[in-house]
Amino acid sequence: MHDGPIGCRAYMKKVRSVVSAPFRFIGRLLLKLLSRLRALKLLGKPLKHLSRLRGRKLAIALVPIAIVVIVVVISLKPEPNREEQVRETLDRYAAATRDKDYQTLCDDLLASELIERIRSAGLPCEVALRTGLDDRQNPQLRVLEAEILDDKRARARVRTTAGGEPTSVDDVLLTNEDGEWRIASLTDPGSAAQAP
């Protein structure tokens, strides 16, 4: 393919030239831009030096720059809106209740502590929910407000309705388990009783 070591060296030199060409172009572009900005003149020398590097030296010099860029991008990434996550959990809870999807409720939406309380009453989670919710017709849940109490706890005020039942306004307590909000309890604001 290539004639001996000399041909191989020439080929590698050509590959290095092709690979480093975009970096040299970016360096020259940055130098032109920086030469017009007097306030950033201090960066001109390092970038000028960087634009002269080739091959392995250029790659080694670009690694820390790439790390800095990645760290800056990650740090500027907006934090997820926790209140919105709480509302999404409650929307999923409402849909699963409406669809009588007790498996999803137990596996994905109820907090482990609440599931343990249900099990300690002597019933599997799905059976207990089926017993309590199966007769409800067209249950609806609307989030009135949501509040993040701390990193692990949140509270939401919800209005619930179902066919043939009076409208109820409840406080829902949620807990953050492994980065996901889960329903810990429902509390009627007028009482201290808790129910799943």
Side-chain angles (χ1 to χ4, degrees), residues 8-165:
C8 187
R9 273 191 228 121
Y11 176 75
M12 289 306 292
K13 188 174 181 181
K14 188 182 258 187
V15 167
R16 269 191 240 118
S17 174
V18 169
V19 169
S20 63
F23 295 112
R24 287 195 311 271
F25 173 76
I26 291 170
R28 284 193 299 272
L29 191 64
L30 286 173
L31 279 175
K32 286 180 184 178
L33 183 69
L34 289 175
S35 67
R36 296 178 188 201
L37 301 172
R38 292 183 188 188
L40 298 176
K41 199 167 186 175
L42 293 174
L43 291 176
K45 273 190 174 179
L47 287 176
K48 190 173 184 179
H49 180 69
L50 185 65
S51 69
R52 292 182 186 149
L53 296 177
R54 303 284 182 262
R56 177 179 251 170
K57 289 181 181 179
L58 177 63
I60 291 171
L62 289 176
V63 168
I65 294 170
I67 291 171
V68 168
V69 168
I70 290 169
V71 167
V72 167
V73 167
I74 290 172
S75 67
L76 292 178
K77 182 181 174 187
E79 191 175 299
N81 185 332
R82 296 185 296 169
E83 184 179 312
E84 190 60 38
Q85 291 173 333
V86 166
R87 289 177 181 272
E88 287 172 8
T89 297
L90 291 167
D91 288 344
R92 290 176 55 214
Y93 173 81
T97 302
R98 194 172 43 251
D99 297 341
K100 300 186 185 317
D101 185 356
Y102 306 119
Q103 189 74 46
T104 296
L105 287 168
C106 293
D107 292 348
D108 300 334
L109 297 170
L110 298 183
S112 56
E113 185 179 321
L114 178 57
I115 292 172
E116 282 307 311
R117 285 198 316 245
I118 295 169
R119 286 186 185 145
S120 68
L123 290 173
C125 180
E126 292 86 356
V127 173
L129 292 179
R130 184 172 289 114
T131 303
L133 300 174
D134 220 21
D135 293 339
R136 292 221 168 133
Q137 296 175 7
N138 193 27
Q140 301 290 322
L141 180 143
R142 186 170 146 232
V143 179
L144 303 175
E145 61 181 279
E147 175 187 12
I148 304 300
L149 302 174
D150 55 41
D151 287 342
K152 289 289 187 184
R153 299 176 310 130
R155 177 177 40 231
R157 175 68 52 100
V158 299
R159 176 178 287 129
T160 56
T161 59
E165 296 180 22

